């Protein structure tokens, strides 16, 4: 083999190694969940990974070599980059990225220096924190909702106590009426707190205790608990439950969920209507339906009624003694059973809430 051949072979090997190295770097960059953007000292794009393209909504095929301000119209990001090019510093900032679904990103910039210490440009890493911020908002809203819900009955209680102390206590009729109101608000407070405790224990996500039992027993218990309330409102209750369905569930929790649905059905329906509860098996699942002839729910609310404290008509809910937490408890109980809850409603005609949970067949014979 001559000198040239050896040299050619070496060159060939070096080239292959370089290609392999480039491919590895590309693979690393493209699988990162952060958006990575490298920019040279003149503000031109050196490199952009797949995630950064997605986050910045960049569709152009070849963007390397173009000024960043040409390929991307994200104002907050461009300002962050321009500052970084001037200051050559490490820095971090929360920025908004517009697009079909807007993103909140934590942007981090770091300067790049060559082996001789010369400034090459900067790398910007973009972390999508949209979901995190959304959860924080949910939590913040929840805290303010709880405070608001608790403050309303407390304000009333204090007002009536004051009226009593200021003299009403000597007028037996008025005093009795005020005490009844105080009593009602106090029960409301304790319902809210009960519901919050139930929700928070469900939200811990811990496994629930399961036992095999007849579906009919659970449905019957839930109905019995609501019978008096139904009677007061002259609402007929019907039960249609397939015999012989045994389910592996947490009885008290499932009973609470069904009771909450029946409670709503009674609360939102007119006197003299019928509420029916049925349960049937379909394969490995059991479905429990609570049907009413109430006002129904407009389509735009259907997705939201399972959120904590979401109400279609807050005044009506409070008047009926609702806490705004009933359906969110139902949802969590059902999720803890690996099931789902659905609702079908025709405004003016009525609603059907359905719980679908696995029968838990696989556990049989353990
Ligand atoms: P609430 O304590 O207010 O009843 P829920 O979480 O149980 O709270 O229900 C949320 C909202 O969904 C209610 O305020 C009401 O507007 C609506 N809703 C629930 N069930 C029914 C129903 N059966 N018919 C009509 N509206 C309902």
């Amino acid at each position: 083999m001559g000198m040239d051949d050896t040299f050619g072979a070496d060159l060939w090997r070096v080239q292959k190694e370089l290609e392999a190295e480039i491919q590895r770097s590309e693979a690393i960059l493209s699988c990162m969940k952060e958006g990575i953007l490298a920019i040279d000292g003149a503000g031109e794009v050196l490199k952009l990974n797949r995630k950064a393209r997605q986050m910045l909504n960049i569709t152009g095929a070849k963007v390397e070599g173009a000024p960043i301000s040409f390929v991307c119209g994200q104002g907050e990001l461009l300002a962050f980059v321009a500052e970084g090019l001037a200051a050559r510093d490490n820095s971090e900032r929360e920025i908004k990225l517009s697009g079909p679904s807007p993103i909140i990103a934590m942007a981090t910039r770091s300067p790049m220096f060559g082996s001789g210490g010369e400034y090459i440009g900067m790398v910007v890493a973009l972390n999508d924190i949209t979901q995190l911020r959304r959860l924080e908002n949910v939590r913040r809203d929840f805290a303010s909702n709880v405070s608001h819900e608790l403050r309303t009955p407390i304000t009333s209680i204090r007002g009536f106590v004051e009226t009593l102390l200021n003299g009403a206590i000597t007028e037996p009729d008025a005093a009795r009426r005020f005490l009844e109101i105080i009593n009602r608000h106090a029960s409301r407070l304790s319902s809210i707190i009960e519901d919050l405790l139930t929700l928070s224990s469900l939200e811990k996500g811990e496994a629930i205790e399961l036992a095999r039992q007849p579906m009919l027993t659970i449905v019957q218990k839930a109905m019995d608990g609501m019978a008096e309330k139904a009677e007061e409102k002259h609402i007929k209750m019907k039960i249609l439950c397939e015999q012989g369905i045994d389910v592996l569930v947490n009885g008290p929790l499932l009973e609470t969920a069904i009771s909450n649905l029946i409670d709503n059905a009674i609360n939102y329906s007119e006197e003299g209507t019928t509420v029916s509860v049925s349960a049937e098996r379909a394969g490995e699942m059991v479905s429990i339906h609570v049907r009413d002839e109430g006002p129904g729910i407009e389509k735009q609310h259907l997705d939201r009624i399972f959120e904590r404290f979401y109400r279609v008509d807050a005044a009506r809910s409070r008047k009926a003694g609702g806490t705004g937490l009933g359906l969110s408890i139902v949802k969590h109980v059902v999720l803890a059973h690996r099931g789902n809850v659905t609702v079908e409603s025709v405004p003016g005609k009525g609603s059907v809430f359905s719980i679908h949970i696995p029968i838990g067949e696989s556990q049989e014979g353990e």
Side-chain angles (χ1 to χ4, degrees):
M1 209 189 268
M3 262 277 273
D4 280 355
D5 285 347
T6 320
F7 183 66
D10 279 351
L11 199 61
W12 186 81
R13 212 184 56 241
V14 168
Q15 189 182 345
K16 282 292 156 208
E17 273 171 16
L18 268 176
E19 278 171 14
E21 181 55 40
I22 290 172
Q23 268 174 14
R24 270 197 296 275
S25 308
E26 291 281 340
I28 293 172
L29 273 179
S30 73
C31 75
M32 284 179 78
K33 70 176 188 11
E34 289 88 9
I36 301 289
L37 181 67
I39 294 158
D40 70 10
E44 286 173 3
V45 178
L46 288 171
K47 199 86 211 155
L48 185 77
N49 74 348
R50 187 158 47 191
K51 185 69 184 178
R53 276 181 178 273
Q54 249 175 37
M55 291 175 81
L56 302 176
N57 256 312
I58 295 176
T59 47
K62 188 89 186 125
V63 291
E64 277 87 0
I68 176 71
S69 53
F70 281 22
V71 291
C72 150
Q74 305 283 355
E76 291 188 26
L77 177 70
L78 291 178
F80 183 69
V81 166
E83 283 169 29
L85 288 174
R88 302 185 175 184
D89 61 346
N90 285 290
S91 177
E92 185 174 68
R93 184 181 306 160
E94 191 174 314
I95 58 175
K96 286 195 203 73
L97 301 174
S98 55
S101 45
I103 292 175
I104 301 171
M106 186 54 83
T108 313
R109 68 182 181 219
S110 323
M112 281 190 289
F113 296 99
S115 50
E118 74 283 12
Y119 181 67
I120 300 176
M122 64 192 283
V123 174
V124 178
L126 297 166
N127 237 316
D128 187 340
I129 54 165
T130 318
Q131 189 65 359
L132 191 73
R133 287 285 176 269
R134 203 184 64 80
L135 286 176
E136 281 169 5
N137 283 343
V138 167
R139 212 158 283 157
R140 205 170 32 231
D141 287 354
F142 180 61
S144 91
N145 279 335
V146 169
S147 319
H148 177 75
E149 292 294 330
L150 295 179
R151 198 172 54 197
T152 316
I154 288 173
T155 310
S156 293
I157 291 174
R158 292 186 60 187
F160 285 107
V161 167
E162 223 163 83
T163 317
L164 283 168
L165 290 175
N166 285 343
I169 201 162
T170 56
E171 302 162 35
D173 284 352
R176 163 164 284 278
R177 200 153 45 80
F178 294 159
L179 284 170
E180 275 164 3
I181 298 173
I182 290 171
N183 194 23
R184 206 166 59 237
H185 285 295
S187 334
R188 212 178 126 59
L189 277 179
S190 70
S191 312
I192 295 172
I193 288 166
E194 279 302 311
D195 280 0
L196 284 172
L197 287 174
T198 309
L199 259 184
S200 84
S201 78
L202 282 168
E203 282 192 332
K204 281 188 197 140
E206 287 164 7
I208 49 171
E209 274 180 40
L210 303 174
R212 189 162 291 284
Q213 51 209 293
M215 187 70 248
L216 184 59
T217 315
I218 301 170
V219 173
Q220 193 65 58
K221 273 195 194 161
M223 289 190 75
D224 290 349
M226 289 292 146
E228 196 181 325
K229 181 163 178 170
E231 219 161 277
E232 278 168 16
K233 233 179 141 176
H234 306 290
I235 284 180
K236 283 189 288 297
M237 295 247 269
K238 271 200 214 156
I239 178 167
L240 197 83
C241 184
E242 224 176 84
Q243 294 278 345
I245 313 177
D246 278 349
V247 282
L248 185 68
V249 293
N250 182 299
L253 282 180
L254 190 58
E255 187 191 322
T256 303
I258 301 171
S259 299
N260 283 358
L261 293 180
I262 301 176
D263 191 32
N264 282 346
I266 297 173
N267 279 343
Y268 297 104
S269 297
E270 294 298 317
E271 296 213 349
T273 56
T274 301
V275 169
S276 38
V277 185
S278 58
E280 90 258 336
R281 184 178 168 160
E284 298 309 300
M285 302 288 284
V286 63
S287 297
I288 304 133
H289 312 280
V290 177
R291 182 183 305 269
D292 67 52
E293 300 167 347
I297 302 157
E298 299 280 350
K299 208 172 160 112
Q300 74 265 29
H301 299 293
L302 287 180
D303 279 347
R304 303 206 53 194
I305 50 176
F306 293 93
E307 290 172 18
R308 294 177 290 194
F309 295 121
Y310 187 86
R311 295 152 158 133
V312 177
D313 179 344
R316 182 165 183 170
S317 153
R318 291 208 180 86
K319 198 158 154 253
T323 60
L325 295 170
L327 287 180
S328 107
I329 291 176
V330 173
K331 186 177 93 180
H332 279 91
V333 168
V334 173
L335 287 178
H337 284 89
R338 299 172 201 281
N340 65 314
V341 51
T342 56
V343 51
E344 279 172 49
S345 190
V346 183
K349 286 247 167 17
S351 312
V352 188
F353 283 82
S354 305
I355 288 174
H356 314 276
I357 49 171
I359 285 175
E361 198 90 80
S362 59
Q363 314 274 329
E364 225 162 25
E366 269 183 7

